[in-house]
């Protein structure tokens, strides 16, 4: 088992490799009062590129007899002292001593301090579960006893603690609400979870994959950051490959004049020649990789392998085309054909239609990996509003969006009808709910575009454009 001090040193070393990136520590603590002392339930700290005076502060954090929350903003120079205090078992915040004890009844602090610690690096583009999804981040976590064991020592029950917070003049929705809205947890404080101290050093930059492309020998880059400091100290490394040639690797410097302010964020846009059919990009600063992205120039490929393999069994795509026609297709065939069309385009597709045990699911889910976008698709041979399809799709899209924070989730209703056969009222409803509508003409266009070498990002742009505009519905349906 790693010692907290050793793991803390690894975290400090990672932060020290980029000392210019962070200037403040935002500390947020939730604790319960047990036997005359405040015991940590959850603490989260965020290193911030801004000065102490620029970091947002919470007002009216709850302070009750048995549960309280605090926030403290410190200089990043205080980081070693903060980690040392927690490792020793007590951190003073707002003139209050908060204990980090693995054994509340232990007679010595040395035995009682948190004994589990782990340093890690969470990469934004990794497909594994992320504790901190907004950005890539160095992280350190120290864990203590189970929260349930601590709460059992409080005179109030969990529900009474929750309601005491909800009853305040400035309420939060119980412990789970505090964990989410103040500390930044993704999930509620579930049974069996340990009390933790967590600290993140985020690398606040990422590619905008929907705006990056490799097209006919030109690499287009789009990069977003929340930190002007990050923009001054990052670059892009790449390795480019072409069939029959040795790979080429190099670094692209991101000139400061290409960064433009966009509200509280900064955006880089630029192009450069790239004679390759495939390129893998690495957005990086001195201490770590902030993001990765692989782009493929479909126009440079001789064939679409997915279609070529399918055509072994359907050489002229006649069966496939007929499955997209309402007069010649059953509902199941149509749903599978829509999924196959997305598959041909490069989506990773899961067809859920036809499973009786998944009756509440969408018909098709399309994953635009490596782009952080997901299509939630509902199919119909007829009216897009029949049987409450639009309302159900909105609800299912919302559920997927909540399960995948950081992803763009697009609700799509696909009908086998011609555009002129879709009612204006149904299109208005789809528009109000932000749903894209694909008709028979759109399916034909998507099939035609497969031979033009357009990329997955082009398809996403097309689908986004299919959310009906309220001001142009008459033109949309050709009336």
């Amino acid at each position: 088992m790693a010692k907290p001090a050793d793991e803390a040193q690894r975290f400090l070393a990672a932060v020290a490799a980029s000392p210019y990136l962070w200037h403040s520590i935002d500390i947020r603590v939730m604790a319960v009062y047990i036997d005359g002392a405040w015991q940590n339930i959850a603490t989260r700290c965020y290193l911030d590129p801004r000065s102490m005076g620029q970091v947002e502060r919470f007002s009216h954090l709850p302070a009750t007899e048995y549960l309280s929350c605090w926030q403290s903003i410190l200089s990043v120079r205080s980081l070693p002292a903060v980690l040392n205090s927690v490792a020793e078992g007590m951190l003073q915040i707002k003139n209050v001593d908060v204990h980090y004890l693995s054994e509340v009844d232990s007679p010595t602090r040395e035995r009682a301090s948190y004994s589990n610690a782990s340093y890690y690096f969470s990469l934004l583009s990794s497909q594994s579960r992320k504790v901190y999804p907004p950005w890539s981040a160095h992280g350190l976590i120290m864990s203590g006893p189970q929260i349930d064991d601590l709460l059992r020592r409080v005179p109030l029950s969990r529900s009474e603690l929750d309601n005491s917070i909800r009853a305040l003049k400035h309420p939060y929705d119980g412990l789970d609400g505090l964990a989410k809205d103040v500390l930044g947890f993704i999930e509620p404080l579930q049974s069996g979870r340990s009390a933790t101290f967590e600290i993140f050093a985020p690398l606040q930059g990422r590619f905008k994959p929907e705006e990056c492309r490799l097209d006919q020998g030109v690499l287009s880059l789009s990069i977003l950051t929340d930190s002007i400091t990050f923009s001054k100290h990052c670059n892009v490394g790449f390795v480019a490959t072409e069939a029959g040639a040795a790979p080429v690797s190099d670094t692209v410097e991101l000139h400061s004049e290409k960064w433009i302010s966009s509200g509280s964020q900064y955006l880089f846009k630029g192009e450069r020649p790239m004679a390759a059919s495939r390129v893998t990009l690495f957005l990086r600063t001195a201490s770590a990789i902030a993001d990765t992205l692989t782009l493929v120039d479909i126009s440079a490929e001789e064939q679409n392998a997915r279609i070529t393999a399918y055509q072994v069994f359907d050489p002229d795509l006649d069966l496939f085309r007929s499955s997209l026609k309402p007069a010649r297709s059953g509902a199941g065939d149509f749903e599978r054909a829509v999924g196959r069309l997305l598959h041909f385009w490069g989506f990773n597709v899961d067809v859920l239609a036809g499973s009786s045990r998944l009756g509440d699911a969408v018909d098709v889910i399309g994953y635009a990996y490596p782009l952080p976008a997901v299509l939630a698709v509902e199919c119909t041979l007829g009216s897009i509003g029949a049987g409450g399809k639009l309302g159900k799709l909105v609800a299912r899209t919302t559920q997927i969006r909540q399960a995948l924070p950081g992803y763009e989730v697009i609700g799509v209703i696909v009908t086998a009808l011609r555009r002129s056969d879709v009612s204006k009222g149904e299109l208005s409803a789809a528009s109000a709910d932000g749903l894209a509508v694909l008709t028979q003409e759109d399916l034909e266009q998507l099939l035609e575009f497969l031979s033009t070498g357009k990329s997955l990002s082009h398809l996403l742009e097309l689908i986004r454009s299919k959310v009906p505009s309220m001001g142009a519905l008459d033109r949309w349906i050709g009336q």
Side-chain angles (χ1 to χ4, degrees):
M1 182 183 299
K3 296 181 179 179
D6 295 337
E7 295 297 280
Q9 286 303 315
R10 294 182 63 196
F11 179 81
L12 288 170
V15 171
S18 300
Y20 41 78
L21 287 184
W22 303 286
H23 296 95
S24 306
I25 315 172
D26 182 357
I27 305 175
R28 308 172 192 181
V29 181
M30 178 166 59
V32 289
Y33 199 69
I34 302 174
D35 297 334
W38 288 102
Q39 306 291 343
N40 173 64
I41 289 290
T43 297
R44 278 200 164 182
C45 310
Y46 302 89
L47 299 196
D48 198 292
R50 296 168 295 182
S51 66
M52 294 169 56
Q54 294 175 315
V55 179
E56 293 88 353
R57 285 165 166 77
F58 290 91
S59 59
H60 307 297
L61 290 176
T64 70
E65 183 178 3
Y66 293 108
L67 186 139
S68 285
C69 257
W70 302 275
Q71 180 189 30
S72 180
I73 313 297
L74 303 177
S75 166
V76 75
R77 293 190 296 270
S78 304
L79 180 59
V82 169
L83 298 183
N84 186 62
S85 294
V86 175
E88 290 185 351
M90 187 177 70
L91 176 66
Q92 188 175 82
I93 182 166
K94 298 290 186 180
N95 296 318
V96 175
D97 292 336
V98 178
H99 295 267
Y100 296 79
L101 306 176
S102 58
E103 303 172 32
V104 177
D105 294 328
S106 176
T108 67
R109 179 175 297 176
E110 182 179 355
R111 288 177 54 196
S113 59
Y114 285 9
S115 56
N116 296 321
S118 178
Y119 161 78
Y120 59 90
F121 181 73
S122 174
L123 183 61
L124 183 66
S125 54
S126 171
Q127 293 304 294
S128 60
R129 178 179 176 274
K130 302 177 185 65
V131 179
Y132 185 64
W135 308 100
S136 293
H138 300 286
L140 176 69
I141 181 170
M142 303 182 195
S143 56
Q146 289 194 352
I147 292 176
D148 294 344
D149 293 338
L150 292 170
L151 294 180
R152 276 193 285 270
R153 299 174 60 86
V154 177
L156 302 181
S157 67
R158 169 70 183 263
S159 62
E160 289 174 322
L161 277 176
D162 287 338
N163 289 331
S164 70
I165 302 167
R166 294 169 180 143
L168 295 172
K169 180 180 180 181
H170 303 283
Y172 284 88
D173 191 11
L175 275 69
D176 287 343
L178 284 171
K180 176 183 177 182
D181 299 330
V182 177
L183 274 68
F185 278 73
I186 302 171
E187 300 171 344
L189 299 177
Q190 299 167 338
S191 178
R193 185 185 182 103
S194 295
T196 53
F197 170 90
E198 296 175 87
I199 186 165
F200 304 103
L203 304 174
Q204 292 176 238
R206 65 174 178 85
F207 293 112
K208 294 191 71 177
E210 67 276 11
E211 297 179 6
C212 295
R213 61 175 55 91
L214 182 62
D215 191 6
Q216 299 183 25
V218 177
L219 172 65
S220 300
L221 284 177
S222 182
I223 301 168
L224 188 68
T225 179
D226 272 359
S227 168
I228 188 63
T229 306
F230 180 91
S231 72
K232 295 176 180 178
H233 294 92
C234 66
N235 60 44
V236 174
F238 71 86
V239 56
T241 56
E242 184 70 63
V248 175
S249 64
D250 204 347
T251 295
V252 179
E253 298 298 337
L254 307 178
H255 299 293
S256 58
E257 64 270 14
K258 293 289 187 71
W259 290 92
I260 58 174
S261 176
S262 177
S264 61
Q265 296 183 314
Y266 301 88
L267 182 66
F268 174 92
K269 283 185 173 294
E271 294 183 345
R272 62 159 289 162
M274 183 67 66
S277 59
R278 180 185 181 93
V279 60
T280 300
L281 306 168
F282 312 98
L283 178 61
R284 58 198 183 183
T285 185
S287 63
I289 305 299
D291 200 5
T292 67
L293 179 65
T294 296
L295 299 173
V296 176
D297 188 351
I298 296 180
S299 65
E301 294 187 344
E302 296 182 358
Q303 61 183 3
N304 183 321
R306 299 185 183 208
I307 294 179
T308 301
Y310 173 81
Q311 285 181 307
V312 171
F313 310 101
D314 185 9
D316 298 319
L317 299 180
D318 289 340
L319 293 176
F320 173 66
R321 294 177 191 276
S322 67
S323 296
L324 292 173
K325 303 291 184 180
R328 303 172 63 185
S329 174
D333 289 339
F334 183 67
E335 291 155 352
R336 285 187 290 272
V338 169
R340 184 166 290 128
L341 181 59
L342 295 177
H343 168 73
F344 286 163
W345 268 94
F347 278 87
N348 295 329
V349 175
D350 192 1
V351 179
L352 306 181
S355 175
S356 58
R357 295 187 178 184
L358 294 174
D360 291 332
V362 291
D363 292 330
V364 178
I365 301 178
Y367 306 90
Y369 181 79
L371 307 181
V374 175
L375 302 183
V377 183
E378 191 71 19
C379 302
T380 177
L381 294 176
S383 166
I384 64 174
K389 282 185 177 292
L390 295 179
K392 292 177 182 177
L393 178 56
V394 170
R396 293 162 182 169
T397 301
T398 300
Q399 290 174 322
I400 297 174
R401 190 173 291 127
Q402 291 172 343
L404 294 174
Y407 280 74
E408 178 187 14
V409 181
I410 306 172
V412 184
I413 185 82
V414 182
T415 176
L417 295 178
R418 308 295 293 181
R419 185 174 301 149
S420 58
D421 294 328
V422 181
S423 77
K424 188 174 180 179
E426 290 176 335
L427 290 174
S428 297
S431 174
D433 290 327
L435 300 176
V437 179
L438 300 184
T439 64
Q440 184 64 215
E441 291 94 334
D442 298 313
L443 298 178
E444 293 168 358
Q445 184 183 41
L446 293 182
L447 186 56
E448 178 187 350
F449 279 178
L450 279 171
S451 62
T452 66
K454 291 186 180 294
S455 67
L456 193 59
S457 59
H458 283 100
L459 177 59
L460 284 172
E461 290 176 6
L462 178 63
I463 290 176
R464 293 186 190 103
S465 74
K466 295 302 178 179
V467 177
S469 169
M470 292 296 290
L473 283 179
D474 288 344
R475 176 168 50 84
W476 198 91
I477 60 177
Q479 294 179 347

